[in-house]
Amino acid sequence: MKKVLISTFLLLLSGLLQANVAFADEVQVKKGKLLFMLCQACHAYTENAGMRVGPNLAGIAGSQVGHDEAYAYSAALNGADFKWTDDKLDAWLQSPVSVVPGTQMAFAGLQNPEQRAALIAFLKTL
């Protein structure tokens, strides 16, 4: 009986922890979507929205840099060879010119690591 109670307790605790993680992830994504307002003047993020001054960011997470053939990237970005991992996105959002010197992206960077993490969480949902 004692083992059943302990097992039941651990199962319930595990479920609660998973629910908390899911809730925290959802909050992070919502924060990131709000932060995307900093980006939306230049970037769209829905699949069929087309290009703005910058490329559409739908599907950016995990993709190859300069992957959208419909957008005319700078020579610097055309010459870059990496995928948009969490680490690359974080570095880019902190300072685009540090990641790809010569990029034409006119963004000074987002210095707050929590804000970058939230924005990346949102970008990963696209």
Side-chain angles (χ1 to χ4, degrees):
M1 178 70 164
K2 195 173 188 179
K3 284 184 179 181
V4 171
L5 287 175
I6 291 172
S7 294
T8 304
F9 173 76
L10 291 175
L11 185 62
L12 289 172
L13 183 60
S14 173
L16 288 172
L17 291 174
Q18 288 175 354
N20 274 343
V21 169
F23 179 73
D25 290 346
E26 185 178 321
V27 168
Q28 187 81 329
V29 169
K30 286 182 180 185
K31 286 179 183 177
K33 187 172 185 179
L34 286 173
L35 284 164
F36 192 82
M37 289 190 304
L38 298 169
C39 314
Q40 69 186 11
C42 298
H43 297 281
Y45 66 86
T46 56
E47 197 169 313
N48 297 316
M51 303 296 160
R52 293 190 178 164
V53 173
N56 187 316
L57 299 181
I60 189 78
S63 69
Q64 181 69 27
V65 65
H67 74 284
D68 194 332
E69 294 176 13
Y71 185 77
Y73 294 94
S74 66
L77 276 172
N78 278 331
D81 185 25
F82 60 85
K83 290 191 182 232
W84 288 115
T85 63
D86 288 6
D87 289 340
K88 280 291 187 183
L89 285 167
D90 184 59
W92 177 266
L93 290 170
Q94 185 174 11
S95 175
V97 297
S98 294
V99 176
V100 180
T103 183
Q104 295 176 353
M105 184 166 164
F107 178 63
L110 191 58
Q111 299 310 306
N112 184 307
E114 289 85 17
Q115 290 177 337
R116 291 194 309 271
L119 189 50
I120 292 166
F122 172 68
L123 291 173
K124 289 170 71 171
T125 68
L126 305 179

